[in-house]
Amino acid sequence: MSESPVTFRREHRPVLTAGDYQVTLTHRVSLDPVDFTTTRRFTVAGDRFGLAPALIRSVFPPEGSVGDHATVLPHIVLERATLPWERSPGGAGPQTPPWLALLLFTEQEAPPVSTVPLGQVGAGPWLPPAAAAAESHESAQEPVTVIDVPAALLADLLPGYADLPLLAHVRADGDDPADAAVVVGTRLPPAGMTSVVHLVSLEHRFTPATDGSWVLDRGPAPVGDTVRLVSLTSWRFASVSADHTFATLVRDLAEERAALRLPPAGQPAADRYLAEGFVPARHRLRQGGSSIGWYRGPLVPGPTDGGWVAPVRTGDALLRFDPELGMFDLGYAAAWQLGRLLALGSGDTATALYGWRRRRDQQAARTQRAACNADAGYPLAVAPIDDTLPPGVRDWLTGLTRLDGVPFGYLVPDEGLLPAESIRFLGVDQTWVRHLVDGAVSVGRLGPADEARDAAAPLPVEFPTLTGALIRSQVVSGYPGLLVDGYADRAGTGHLTPWVTRRLSPEVLLFLFEGELARLDLHQPPEAQHLAVEPHSPGNYGRTLRAPGGSERVPDPVGPLPLGPRGTISPTGLAAAIAGSLGVPTAEVESGDLALQLTETAERVTFLRP
C-alpha cells in the first residue's frame, strides 16, 4: 500500500496573530483641503482558554493506552497548523516562540484540576494581567480549566524559553505545505506508572530578566507555593514493560500458528472431519429427538467452492449421513435454514423477495401465453412485467456474501477453534455461503416449478475466492485503529482487495481478502508515528541519527546525554549534540530537523503463510 511522504517543517505562522486590530484609511484629494479619514476595528479571535475536540487530531501515547512508552516523548497533533504560533509566551516579533507546552505528570504528581469562569480568572491575582485579561470576543462566564502546580515541580518540568521553538513543528503529508502542527513534551514517561499529560498555555507568562533571559511570571499574587496554569486539554496513559508493546503482542500470536480446526481425536474416521474444520455439535431432530452431528461454518482451513448449488425447498434436503460414524453433516442445512430465518427476520427484504418472485412468475406466464398467441395469429402484444431483482434486495444478498448478520456461533462454533491470544489463517467455503443465500431467496418457493425457475435464473451475486484470518487477542481491543494489509505474494507487491474487516467481539477481528493470501501485515495507523529517544546507560539517553537528504555519510549516534530532573531531556542540548554529529552549526538544527531525527514510524508485523 503506497503512503504519502511526510515532511517536517519548523513552523507555519499565521498572517495575523490573535488580538484586536484597527485599520485607518486616509483619502486625500488635491483640490479639497480636508482629508477624509476613517477607522475600522476588527478582532482575530484565536483559541485561548480551551480547544474544541475537532482541533485535536490525535495524541501519543493514545488516551487510555497501555504499553512500553518509557522512551517516548508525548506529543499532540493539532488540525490547525498555525495554532502554536497564534499567540506569544512573551515578547514580540517574527521569532516569538510557541505559546503551548506539554507537561507530563505521574499520577501521584498530577495537580488538581478545577474549572473557573473566565471573569474570575481575569479578576483574580493568580495570573499575569496580560494572560488573564478577557478579549473583546470572550464572555466572563466562559469556563476555563486550570491546574495549580507546585513551584518546585514546575521548575523541573517546564521547558525554558529557549527550548520552546524546538518543541513545536509542522507535519506536512504529500503535497500539503502544512497539514498539522505538533507540540512535543520533554519528559519521558516513568515505567510502571500511569502518566497524565496537560497541554498548557504559556501566553504572556515569560518576562525578561535583568540578564537578558526570559523567566516565568508566576503572577502578582501566587497561590501559596503553586503556580496556576491554564490547561487546554489533557489525557492519561500507562507505561508498562516491553512485553506489552504492539510488536511483541502481535508476534506472540504466531507462536501457535495453527489452522482453523480442532486437534486430532485419535480416530481416523473422526479425524477426517476434524482436519476439514468440522466440530461435533448437538443436533435436534425434526421429530423431537436429539443427536450429535458434524457442523462446519463458512470459515474453513482453506478456501473451497463447489460452484453453483441447486435450489431446495427445505434444509433437510441438505443433510448428509455418514454411515461409518452414524452422524449427520449439518453444515449446509444449517446455512440454508439460517439464510431463510435472516430473510424472514428482515420484513422489508422478505416482502420484496416475495413480490419479485410473483412478478417473475407472472412475466414467465405472459411470455408463454404470448408465444402461444403468436402461433395462433393473436394480434395483441402482451405488456412485459419488470422482473429484475430489486436493488435493495441485491444489496442485502451481497451483504450475506460478506457474512453480514451471521451470528458468531455459526462462524466459530467451538472455542477450541480460536484460543485466546491466537491467529488462525482460513478460507471461506463459498458452497456454505451459496446455501445461505439460497435459503434467503427461498421465501415464497412453494413447489417444483419455483425450484426450476430459480435454477434457470441464477442470482446476480458474486462468490469470489476468499482467504484471510481470525485474531483473538488484546491487540484487537487495545489498538482500535489496527490496520490490516493482505498480499498475494510473500514479497508484498500484489495487494489484495479487502472483502470483509469486522470486529466479531471486543477481542476478535475477522478480515477476508479476494484471492489467495500469502502475506499478512498488521500495523498501526500513520498517526501512531511518534518521537522517541534510545535508552543508554542509567540516567542517560542517545539517538541513532538519519543521514541528511542527499548525504552519503552516516552520522555518528548521539549520546550518551544526561537526563534532566524527573527524566526530562534538554531540547537545546539535544539539538546541539545532533548538530555536532551532523557537522553543521547548532542554529541550523530547528524543530523540523529535531522531529525528523526523533520520529519513529508506526510498527508493522508481517505473517507469511506456509
Side-chain angles (χ1 to χ4, degrees), residues 198-242:
H198 284 271
L199 178 68
V200 299
S201 166
L202 299 179
E203 182 188 15
H204 300 303
R205 296 307 299 265
F206 283 88
T207 58
T210 55
D211 60 357
S213 63
W214 291 79
V215 296
L216 181 70
D217 186 349
R218 296 181 57 185
V223 185
D225 194 30
T226 63
V227 179
R228 174 158 291 185
L229 297 173
V230 174
S231 174
L232 283 77
T233 188
S234 64
W235 75 95
R236 64 179 58 232
F237 60 89
S239 182
V240 293
S241 68

Side-chain angles (χ1 to χ4, degrees), residues 82-99:
T82 60
L83 186 55
W85 299 274
E86 291 177 358
R87 296 182 180 275
S88 169
Q95 302 302 320
T96 301
W99 64 288

Side-chain angles (χ1 to χ4, degrees), residues 108-432:
Q108 293 73 24
E109 299 168 346
V113 178
S114 56
T115 302
V116 296
L118 175 56
Q120 182 178 335
V121 173
W126 306 291
L127 299 182
E135 296 180 349
S136 59
H137 65 282
E138 294 171 338
S139 168
Q141 282 70 44
E142 181 179 338
V144 178
T145 301
V146 296
I147 55 176
D148 294 321
V149 186
L153 175 61
L154 186 62
D156 291 341
L157 301 184
L158 187 68
Y161 190 83
D163 294 323
L164 294 178
L166 294 170
L167 296 177
H169 64 273
V170 174
R171 182 180 297 174
D173 295 336
D175 298 329
D176 192 335
D179 178 60
V182 182
V183 180
V184 186
T186 60
R187 185 184 185 184
L188 301 177
M193 304 182 73
T194 298
S195 298
V196 181
V197 183
H198 284 271
L199 178 68
V200 299
S201 166
L202 299 179
E203 182 188 15
H204 300 303
R205 296 307 299 265
F206 283 88
T207 58
T210 55
D211 60 357
S213 63
W214 291 79
V215 296
L216 181 70
D217 186 349
R218 296 181 57 185
V223 185
D225 194 30
T226 63
V227 179
R228 174 158 291 185
L229 297 173
V230 174
S231 174
L232 283 77
T233 188
S234 64
W235 75 95
R236 64 179 58 232
F237 60 89
S239 182
V240 293
S241 68
D243 296 337
H244 291 78
T245 63
F246 172 82
T248 302
L249 291 173
V250 174
R251 282 196 296 265
D252 289 346
L253 300 178
E255 291 183 355
E256 185 189 356
R257 189 171 55 186
L260 191 70
R261 52 154 296 177
L262 294 178
Q267 298 180 0
D271 288 345
R272 175 167 54 86
Y273 280 93
L274 295 175
E276 295 178 1
F278 285 88
V279 300
R282 295 182 181 275
H283 178 208
R284 185 171 297 278
L285 304 176
R286 191 174 296 276
Q287 292 78 13
S290 61
S291 178
I292 299 294
W294 292 109
Y295 173 78
R296 185 178 74 172
L299 307 180
V300 295
T304 180
D305 188 0
W308 175 83
V309 298
V312 297
R313 281 179 285 161
T314 65
D316 288 351
L318 300 174
L319 291 172
R320 297 293 181 266
F321 183 71
D322 186 337
E324 182 179 359
L325 291 174
M327 298 171 65
F328 281 102
D329 175 355
L330 313 172
Y332 294 155
W336 189 94
Q337 190 65 34
L338 174 62
R340 187 177 180 88
L341 291 174
L342 290 175
L344 292 173
S346 176
D348 294 341
T349 301
T351 301
L353 274 170
Y354 185 72
W356 163 73
R357 185 178 295 280
R358 291 193 60 185
R359 293 194 302 274
R360 187 192 62 177
D361 294 346
Q362 292 171 359
Q363 175 62 21
R366 287 192 178 188
T367 301
Q368 183 178 4
R369 288 197 300 269
C372 295
N373 292 337
D375 293 340
Y378 193 76
L380 297 179
V382 178
I385 297 176
D386 182 10
D387 60 350
T388 58
L389 190 66
V393 174
R394 183 173 62 251
D395 294 342
W396 188 85
L397 294 176
T398 299
L400 281 188
T401 67
R402 301 178 185 275
L403 306 180
D404 291 349
V406 177
F408 182 79
Y410 281 80
L411 301 175
V412 186
D414 191 289
E415 187 177 3
L417 294 172
L418 190 64
E421 299 303 320
S422 66
I423 183 172
R424 294 292 183 262
F425 290 96
L426 50 87
V428 172
D429 182 359
Q430 289 291 18
T431 302
W432 194 99

